[in-house]
């Protein structure tokens, strides 16, 4: 396998979790394969990451249900299908350097790291306690991801340019310019944009931006609902 990052994922009972959880994870991936138009590479990254390690103990039994779950601090981890779709849209190659805005519990960062390899994911989290807990979790699970507490618009300015950026909080006025400027020409950005709308309905769209010589190309990938970017 060339898309692992860190200690063995498959065949490692400690990281993969007890057999019932591994089975649940495989069934989730089979269901995603039926439903989504995403690459096998993306699906194998989802299959390799033990989502149950990222969700609070109390929600562990739902870790492989295809739905968002609370992760504390009023934040949520996206449903697996959303992580799969967003990751797939980035079209990552091994070795690509990725900026993530909104580390949360680190699940999405681990999926990205699975694809690009160790040392290539740079993830910013606004809530310092969440950043600290998640850094420790990723370390323990063997994911070499750089987590920094702070505003994702600026946190990794010195590490730019990136090949891709993934936003997991919604920017109400579109992807902020400082983020677009940190992505190289030819690079991709996947992000929810817009506001929550009335009763949280309607306002946000998932977009993929491609940075080109002559400007930024934008594609729409449907309605979504994410926590707002701060
Ligand atoms: N990708 C995460 C889900 C994150 S939820 C996961 O897999 O768990 C969105 C996160 O974005 C929240 O934790 C929130 O605190 C964070 N966030 C909001 N605004 C931010 C900003 N300006 N910079 C960095 N993180 C931000």
């Amino acid at each position: 396998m060339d898309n692992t990052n860190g200690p063995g994922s498959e065949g490692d009972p400690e990281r993969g979790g007890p057999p019932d959880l591994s089975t649940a994870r495989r069934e989730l991936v089979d269901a995603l394969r039926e439903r989504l138009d995403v690459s096998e590479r993306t699906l194998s990254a989802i299959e390799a990451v033990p989502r149950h390690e990222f969700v609070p103990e109390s929600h562990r039994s739902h870790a492989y249900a295809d739905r968002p779950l609370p992760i504390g601090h009023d934040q949520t981890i996206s449903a697996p299908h959303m992580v799969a779709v967003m990751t797939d849209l980035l079209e990552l190659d091994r070795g690509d350097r990725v900026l993530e805005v909104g580390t949360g519990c680190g699940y999405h960062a681990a999926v990205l790291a699975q694809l690009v390899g160790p040392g290539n994911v740079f993830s910013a989290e606004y809530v310092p306690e969440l950043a600290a807990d998640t850094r420790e979790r990723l370390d323990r699970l063997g994911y070499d991801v750089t987590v920094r507490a702070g505003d994702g618009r600026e946190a990794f300015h010195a590490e730019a340019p990136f090949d891709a950026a993934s936003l997991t909080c919604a920017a109400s006025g579109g992807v902020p310019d400082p983020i677009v400027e940190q992505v190289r020409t030819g690079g991709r950005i996947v992000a929810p944009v817009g506001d929550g709308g009335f009763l949280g309905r309607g306002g946000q769209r998932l977009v993929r931006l491609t940075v080109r010589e002559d400007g930024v190309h934008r594609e729409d990938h449907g309605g979504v609902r994410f926590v707002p970017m701060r």
Side-chain angles (χ1 to χ4, degrees):
M1 257 188 95
D2 75 342
N3 65 346
T4 49
N5 168 39
S9 41
E10 265 178 85
D12 177 348
E14 228 159 87
R15 193 185 195 184
D20 55 330
L21 289 177
S22 303
T23 303
R25 187 162 60 248
R26 196 162 325 113
E27 286 170 0
L28 167 67
V29 169
D30 287 344
L32 296 178
R33 182 180 290 112
E34 293 286 306
R35 246 184 85 196
L36 305 175
D37 184 19
V38 298
S39 71
E40 278 305 313
R41 223 178 143 247
T42 295
L43 291 171
S44 65
I46 299 280
E47 183 152 4
V49 179
R51 192 170 185 255
H52 64 275
E53 294 281 2
F54 294 84
V55 304
E57 196 89 49
S58 52
H59 288 86
R60 210 151 266 192
S61 59
H62 302 302
Y64 298 108
D66 189 18
R67 55 156 130 139
L69 291 173
I71 52 170
H73 303 275
D74 285 335
Q75 304 302 328
T76 48
I77 175 176
S78 303
H81 75 269
M82 186 53 59
V83 176
V85 165
M86 290 177 72
T87 302
D88 203 69
L89 284 171
L90 287 175
E91 295 177 3
L92 297 171
D93 287 322
R94 194 163 178 86
D96 279 354
R97 299 169 78 251
V98 189
L99 171 67
E100 182 185 46
V101 179
T103 320
C105 68
Y107 173 71
H108 202 147
V111 172
L112 296 171
Q114 201 70 41
L115 290 166
V116 297
N120 290 320
V121 178
F122 300 83
S123 186
E125 171 52 51
Y126 198 84
V127 179
E129 297 86 348
L130 212 43
D133 289 354
T134 296
R135 191 180 296 117
E136 193 189 292
R137 175 181 305 113
L138 288 165
D139 255 11
R140 175 169 56 79
L141 295 171
Y143 287 101
D144 179 2
V145 169
T146 307
V147 176
R148 213 167 268 171
D151 181 356
R153 294 171 187 81
E154 301 297 340
F156 290 104
H157 220 269
E159 283 76 6
F162 296 96
D163 298 294
S166 174
L167 278 64
T168 61
C169 43
S172 59
V175 178
D177 287 342
I179 294 177
V180 177
E181 285 158 14
Q182 291 175 63
V183 175
R184 69 162 170 86
T185 303
R188 287 87 46 211
I189 302 168
V190 171
V193 297
D195 58 39
F198 179 60
L199 291 177
R201 266 192 284 177
Q204 297 176 5
R205 311 291 301 175
L206 184 68
V207 299
R208 173 167 65 180
L209 308 183
T210 307
V211 181
R212 295 184 176 165
E213 296 276 4
D214 60 350
V216 176
H217 173 80
R218 173 180 158 140
E219 278 167 31
D220 185 294
H221 288 274
V224 290
R225 193 169 163 196
F226 280 77
V227 298
M229 181 184 272
R230 291 186 265 201

